[in-house]
Amino acid sequence: MTRYEPWRGLALWGQEEETAALEVLRSRSLFRYYGPELLHRTDSFERELAELLEVPHTVAVSSGTAALACALIGLGIPEGAEVIMPAVTFVACANAVVWARGVPVFAEVDDTLTLDPVALAEKVSDRTWGVLPVHLNNAAADLDPILAVARRHDLVVLEDAAQAAGVRYRGRRAGSLGDAGAFSFQLEKNITAGEGGAVSVRDPLAHQRIVRYQDQGGQFTTARGESRAQAAEPFLGVNLRMTELTAALLRVQLGRLDPMLAHLRSVAAEVRAALPELHWRRLPDEEGSGGDLTFFLGSRLEARDRVAALTADGIPAHTLYQGQPVYSSPAIRAGRTPWGTRWGTPARCRDSEGLLGRSVTISLGATMTAADVRAVITALRG
């Protein structure tokens, strides 16, 4: 049994979420575009998230994967274009690129466990259209050198901020520095409704394409005769809309985001300061992290044994992605998509495999107490 709950946004749920949900349920208007007494919670969430991120536009969608795909499509990815991403990430990144008719390409990470800008530059080819840096486990990727490579090669930058909502990088929010950002509100995330996502974007035309794509293309007539049309060239889309109930839950948590991240950051800093001898994951912006406790050991075997010992002490510990890079997926290795085989076996990123396999991560919780922090330090010293 763990000593504390390793949840972030979910750990802070309470009466405010219940009240927000009941308001929507009583309105009988769970669909974001109309209803008997529409409360416009999704519109409000989009506006408030944009204000938090200091970007002109956000679009609320049904998941983080949907956010990635909508962003790629909104930004105009050509069919067959390559998008470079880190070898250490969740499979949704590759899935979204394939969804948008692109080809994922995998590059090494460095000791931040995020995209290595040198490796990124080496992977750029005449087929490369974009780069997808990932802010991993509540810590920002070192974006300045990544953005410099992208500018040099005229690449589109889509930030995956699914695991880092609210985190800052040198004063700016993750997901606000590139051409677009993608967020997830799945159960483990910093704010959560169990599922949900959002896209942040600056370009107004890309914003309109995203809005339309996630709403069946935005130009149609229903069986009852209602129409939704926009003054632009029509195209076909899909249904990736967020519900009013999801947005209502998320709005409550936006105000808690910064205090929660400050607490997690403080916890992580205290533990790292007490154990400077550990080989901690390098954070490009210490003050801007959202709280991460990841360190590296000498071998996979040592990492496995340390995870087992910490877990036995009640400390929620694991090796990220079980030490497996994203291209360990059989489908990715074989290049298999729903439409057939589209690429050959990706080259292995051996440095990334080594770092990932030797890593140990301690999950932090939003309600951790001083006693919980002492327990983590004691267990690590043991």
Side-chain angles (χ1 to χ4, degrees):
M1 183 175 180
T2 57
R3 293 176 181 266
Y4 58 87
E5 278 198 340
W7 299 105
R8 294 172 177 164
L10 183 65
L12 302 177
W13 270 40
Q15 185 61 52
E16 289 181 275
E17 278 81 3
E18 292 183 25
T19 300
L22 283 171
E23 287 174 348
V24 173
L25 292 174
R26 288 167 178 159
S27 76
R28 299 181 298 139
S29 303
L30 278 67
F31 182 57
R32 74 164 293 180
Y33 290 116
Y34 57 78
E37 189 184 342
L38 184 60
L39 301 177
H40 297 283
R41 296 297 189 249
T42 314
D43 296 339
S44 297
F45 175 68
E46 288 176 336
R47 183 175 61 254
E48 291 159 11
L49 181 61
E51 291 171 357
L52 179 82
L53 298 172
E54 298 182 330
V55 297
H57 309 289
T58 67
V59 182
V61 293
S62 58
S63 70
T65 310
L68 288 166
C70 285
L72 291 164
I73 290 165
L75 293 168
I77 182 173
E79 185 172 4
E82 293 182 350
V83 179
I84 301 171
M85 64 186 66
V88 178
T89 187
F90 186 54
V91 71
C93 293
N95 285 339
V97 170
V98 170
W99 177 351
R101 308 170 311 147
V103 176
V105 173
F106 308 100
E108 297 275 16
V109 300
D110 56 25
D111 60 356
T112 66
L113 283 178
T114 62
L115 189 60
D116 181 345
V118 175
L120 166 63
E122 292 172 350
K123 288 286 184 178
V124 175
S125 74
D126 57 2
R127 298 178 299 278
T128 307
W129 171 82
V131 55
L132 206 167
V134 177
H135 303 288
L136 191 74
N137 203 41
N138 232 15
D142 194 1
L143 273 182
D144 282 347
I146 293 171
L147 291 170
V149 173
R151 284 193 294 269
R152 192 159 65 244
H153 294 279
D154 195 26
L155 304 179
V156 171
V157 178
L158 167 58
E159 299 173 66
D160 181 346
Q163 300 180 24
V167 170
R168 294 182 184 272
Y169 172 77
R170 299 180 181 172
R172 296 174 63 187
R173 305 275 186 178
S176 72
L177 291 92
D179 296 288
F183 298 85
S184 170
F185 308 122
Q186 183 266 348
L187 199 64
E188 296 179 339
K189 302 305 191 290
N190 288 341
I191 62 173
T192 180
E195 193 59 277
V199 184
S200 59
V201 65
R202 295 187 176 280
D203 181 74
L205 294 179
H207 170 244
Q208 282 303 309
R209 283 176 57 83
I210 294 165
V211 169
R212 292 170 58 201
Y213 182 72
Q214 59 88 44
D215 184 32
Q216 305 285 15
Q219 295 176 314
F220 54 83
T221 301
T222 70
R224 293 173 54 185
E226 296 98 344
S227 294
R228 194 139 59 245
Q230 298 177 23
E233 183 178 349
F235 63 82
L236 296 173
V238 294
N239 173 13
L240 299 171
R241 299 176 293 237
M242 180 178 283
T243 69
E244 286 284 279
L245 185 57
T246 296
L249 294 170
L250 294 170
R251 287 186 69 219
V252 170
Q253 296 166 66
L254 278 179
R256 299 186 193 137
L257 188 54
D258 281 344
M260 183 190 72
L261 292 175
H263 175 62
L264 293 172
R265 191 161 52 245
S266 174
V267 167
E270 183 177 348
V271 175
R272 286 197 298 268
L275 298 155
E277 68 275 14
L278 290 180
H279 181 193
W280 295 103
R281 171 190 181 187
R282 180 171 60 88
L283 299 175
D285 184 359
E286 177 70 29
E287 290 302 311
S289 82
D292 171 79
L293 282 182
T294 297
F295 58 94
F296 303 104
L297 293 172
S299 69
R300 283 179 174 263
L301 181 59
E302 287 182 66
R304 187 189 68 185
D305 289 347
R306 183 65 70 91
V307 167
L310 289 166
T311 302
D313 282 338
I315 306 302
H318 60 281
T319 291
L320 290 170
Y321 300 119
Q322 296 297 306
Q324 299 297 313
V326 66
Y327 56 73
S328 294
S329 159
I332 291 177
R333 286 202 306 272
R336 289 196 302 271
T337 76
W339 309 281
T341 300
R342 290 293 183 265
W343 62 84
T345 304
R348 292 177 64 179
C349 297
R350 294 186 182 275
D351 291 344
S352 301
E353 292 179 17
L355 284 167
L356 186 60
R358 295 186 289 107
S359 70
V360 175
T361 293
I362 294 173
S363 298
L364 302 183
T367 56
M368 287 181 73
T369 65
D372 294 327
V373 178
R374 288 194 298 270
V376 170
I377 293 171
T378 299
L380 286 171
R381 282 179 174 154

